[in-house]
Amino acid sequence: MDSQLLNKAREYELEKEKLIGKEDRPAFHMTPRVGWMNDPNGFCFYKGEYHMFYQYYPYKSVWGPMHWGHAVSKDLLHWEYLPAALAPDMPYDSFGCYSGNSITYKDGRHLIIYTSVVKNKIDENTEEEFQQQSVAIGDGREYKKAAENPVITTDMIPEGYSTVDFRDPKIWKGKDGIYRVIIGAKDQNGLGHLLLYVSDDCITWKYKKVFLKNDGNFGTMWECPDFFEFEGKAVVIVSPIGMVETDFEYPDGNGTVCFVGTYDEETDTFTVENHQAVDYGADFYAPESADAPDGRHIIIGWAQNWATINEHSEDDSFFGQMSLPREISIKNNRLYQLPVKEIEECRYDKVEYKNISLSDEEVSLDGVRGRFLDMELEISANDATEFVVSLAKNKENKTDFIYKPKESLVMVDRSMSGALNERFHQRCAKISSKDGHLKVRIIMDRNSIEIFIEDGRSVLTTAITTDLDAEDICFKADGSAIMNVTKYSL
Ligand code: FRU
């Protein structure tokens, strides 16, 4: 198949990426080859490499007709760009190739399933839109859309669901050899449900049942579902639109929710036992997860937020970054996440301090500064009511990490980071520690701060656009506190 649109995108990205210097990008967070990027798509380990596709508009750094960008990596931290994998070049996906997922097909080829979107003009003032699911099969480099596309059409949606909000398939193969997809769909009340379809060959699909329902407590539409079984539990992750703030667990707006429970394959029944935010920071959305060949399960999200996408110029050479990939574990029905162990290979220049006493005088420590680092803090709050680390700091700017031991609360405040959007400056998370001791790991790259609390029990991801010369790090406590610091450059 020779696609003019795909060739055009490939020529464009090859030419324009030359204008982006290595120093303009984060050191170990994935960014688009050129132009705009949102959700991770089709994240998987296939034929000896991790593959990452992404929602991609190469021609400007704003959302546009969605293509799929493509990159591969051996270590999840350094990505090699490949030519764009999909362009919106068919009548059934001319409005965009939206998010989806991938799997090793039964014959060893690589199969992508994605939402193909089409908008038809009915008359001067009316358009109709269809979101349907299509597949493309390939070898890890080139992908060919199936002649049978779209393979899950709007007439296969059960009654009462919208044909305009039916997207983001997550695919897996059951132990019984049957392929399954769950797809986000909006019911008459505007709530997102996950619909389950089954197939023997990924081409002919049959609707089976509602896999999981939004009971009204989790926003409206559910985007980008993920599903996996790990460490004896089953996990469903969704990214709801329109969450309403609840007791420090979920902030307003687009968010992420992780349901931990059990799954019975015979009846395709998922039973929820617990739920939590996947990330408590301002910038984490639409995560996908994949099995690593060594048995780990890795999750990665878009480290941006829809509410703040208009704060850059559309002529910037690129926009968008992924989070650090994280290894998950499940303890007491809770999702834990830690940076992938590969990051340890990137560490150099260890600096260590023990028993540093803090008070309300701001302290900086020799060798503890920079914008590319991995830093662990062990804090003993003593009688302090607040402990603050100011990061990416210079005279004008800073982003604060705040620990309030008496309230068992942590907070990230980037209102001074140079960001514009009022609503998105502060994010909180409840912690489990009640005794004033807290372990915190902070990973900073060019445009992000990711904070892992209590060995990954909660994570806060924050994108920052602060100038790179804001490299200072300062500590203080309101009262007396003691801390140990171990810091590496990355
Ligand atoms: C989520 C999302 C998906 C959709 C894609 C379009 O961020 O809205 O639901 O498939 O982005 O780019």
Side-chain angles (χ1 to χ4, degrees):
M1 183 201 62
D2 194 23
S3 158
Q4 273 184 10
L5 271 185
L6 189 59
N7 289 339
K8 184 176 156 213
R10 288 175 166 190
E11 278 161 28
Y12 186 87
E13 60 184 7
L14 193 62
E15 204 40 48
K16 292 290 181 185
E17 81 170 337
K18 295 181 190 142
L19 305 175
I20 307 173
K22 206 172 163 222
E23 67 288 352
D24 300 328
R25 297 183 186 269
F28 48 92
H29 283 75
M30 199 187 137
T31 47
R33 193 170 187 180
V34 296
W36 163 275
M37 174 174 88
N38 56 292
D39 316 347
N41 291 156
F43 177 39
C44 68
F45 188 82
Y46 175 73
K47 279 197 188 159
E49 312 166 297
Y50 292 99
H51 286 254
M52 176 62 75
F53 304 84
Y54 50 92
Q55 288 287 281
Y56 183 37
Y57 183 59
Y59 304 108
K60 278 207 178 310
S61 66
V62 291
W63 193 90
M66 281 291 113
H67 296 55
W68 275 37
H70 189 189
V72 287
S73 174
K74 293 274 184 210
D75 67 357
L76 293 156
L77 300 173
H78 303 96
W79 295 88
E80 178 198 336
Y81 292 115
L82 295 178
L86 302 178
D89 52 10
M90 300 302 274
Y92 55 80
D93 64 15
S94 55
F95 193 75
C97 301
Y98 279 16
S99 284
N101 197 230
S102 79
I103 194 170
T104 302
Y105 195 43
K106 54 186 171 188
D107 62 5
R109 288 181 298 162
H110 193 206
L111 182 135
I112 284 171
I113 183 157
Y114 69 100
T115 299
S116 37
V117 185
V118 62
K119 267 193 187 177
N120 298 324
K121 217 178 167 75
I122 299 182
D123 56 47
E124 263 317 290
N125 307 313
T126 355
E127 276 181 338
E128 58 177 8
E129 176 176 340
F130 296 104
Q131 301 194 346
Q132 313 187 92
Q133 322 310 320
S134 292
V135 300
I137 306 188
D139 60 358
R141 293 296 181 270
E142 298 293 332
Y143 294 83
K144 192 168 180 288
K145 293 178 185 172
E148 295 85 349
N149 281 344
V151 293
I152 304 180
T153 53
T154 40
D155 51 21
M156 294 162 67
I157 307 178
E159 244 190 75
Y161 287 92
S162 150
T163 57
V164 182
D165 285 293
F166 179 52
R167 59 180 176 271
D168 309 335
K170 157 71 192 176
I171 190 167
W172 75 94
K173 192 179 181 178
K175 295 178 190 77
D176 56 9
I178 295 172
Y179 293 101
R180 290 161 168 82
V181 289
I182 45 173
I183 304 169
K186 201 193 253 180
D187 74 359
Q188 294 113 315
N189 303 319
L191 297 180
H193 295 179
L194 301 180
L195 304 183
L196 174 74
Y197 291 77
V198 292
S199 172
D200 291 326
D201 59 4
C202 295
I203 299 291
T204 307
W205 291 90
K206 216 172 81 202
Y207 171 69
K208 183 148 184 203
K209 64 188 284 196
V210 176
F211 192 70
L212 192 62
K213 265 191 183 165
N214 182 354
D215 60 9
N217 287 315
F218 301 95
T220 55
M221 175 62 181
W222 282 358
E223 299 190 306
C224 301
D226 190 27
F227 170 76
F228 56 90
E229 290 176 273
F230 196 64
E231 296 180 340
K233 302 304 293 192
V235 173
V236 172
I237 290 174
V238 291
S239 294
I241 296 176
M243 290 291 283
V244 176
E245 214 254 289
T246 26
D247 196 23
F248 295 113
E249 190 59 36
Y250 303 108
D252 277 338
N254 288 56
T256 50
V257 179
C258 168
F259 297 99
V260 181
T262 56
Y263 167 62
D264 172 32
E265 186 179 284
E266 216 158 290
T267 55
D268 276 309
T269 306
F270 177 74
T271 310
V272 177
E273 293 171 353
N274 197 13
H275 67 86
Q276 66 179 94
V278 180
D279 192 289
Y280 295 83
D283 299 288
F284 188 84
Y285 198 64
E288 284 200 355
S289 68
D291 287 322
D294 58 7
R296 289 176 299 165
H297 197 72
I298 315 284
I299 186 168
I300 188 164
W302 183 45
Q304 309 286 163
N305 191 307
W306 282 111
T308 53
I309 55 164
N310 295 322
E311 292 178 7
H312 65 281
S313 154
E314 64 175 43
D315 297 322
D316 285 357
S317 47
F318 71 93
F319 173 80
Q321 62 186 342
M322 295 302 175
S323 72
L324 197 61
R326 304 153 180 187
E327 304 176 8
I328 68 126
S329 55
I330 297 165
K331 294 175 202 157
N332 300 324
N333 268 357
R334 197 176 162 91
L335 185 79
Y336 278 67
Q337 302 164 78
L338 282 173
V340 287
K341 66 171 190 297
E342 286 81 349
I343 193 90
E344 287 155 33
E345 299 287 312
C346 306
R347 290 167 164 177
Y348 64 99
D349 281 353
K350 181 175 179 181
V351 180
E352 207 169 9
Y353 289 89
K354 294 258 183 239
N355 297 319
I356 300 289
S357 294
L358 295 174
S359 60
D360 44 20
E361 189 115 334
E362 215 167 47
V363 169
S364 59
L365 300 169
D366 257 9
V368 180
R369 64 198 313 274
R371 288 287 290 272
F372 301 86
L373 55 85
D374 184 348
M375 177 165 72
E376 204 160 286
L377 307 177
E378 282 168 11
I379 307 159
S380 301
N382 297 344
D383 66 355
T385 51
E386 191 170 276
F387 168 95
V388 183
V389 193
S390 299
L391 301 154
K393 182 172 171 4
N394 61 9
K395 284 206 179 75
E396 293 83 41
N397 298 124
K398 62 173 184 166
T399 295
D400 283 345
F401 168 73
I402 301 156
Y403 166 37
K404 293 175 184 278
K406 305 269 180 305
E407 294 156 57
S408 292
L409 199 68
V410 294
M411 193 172 169
V412 174
D413 180 351
R414 64 159 181 209
S415 52
M416 302 283 289
S417 73
L420 300 174
N421 198 321
E422 284 284 311
R423 235 178 103 212
F424 277 84
H425 289 332
Q426 291 166 345
R427 283 287 196 262
C428 295
K430 278 272 178 206
I431 55 170
S432 71
S433 164
K434 301 264 185 283
D435 60 2
H437 291 276
L438 191 69
K439 228 171 116 185
V440 178
R441 184 164 165 199
I442 299 175
I443 305 239
M444 291 177 70
D445 197 350
R446 195 182 200 287
N447 296 114
S448 59
I449 303 176
E450 283 160 288
I451 305 187
F452 297 81
I453 313 286
E454 301 184 306
D455 295 309
R457 187 180 176 275
S458 32
V459 190
L460 295 100
T461 298
T462 309
I464 54 164
T465 51
T466 318
D467 285 347
L468 262 196
D469 65 6
E471 287 191 313
D472 291 345
I473 297 178
C474 294
F475 305 89
K476 70 172 183 207
D478 172 2
S480 90
I482 306 278
M483 87 181 163
N484 296 335
V485 182
T486 311
K487 180 245 157 188
Y488 300 87
S489 299
L490 290 174

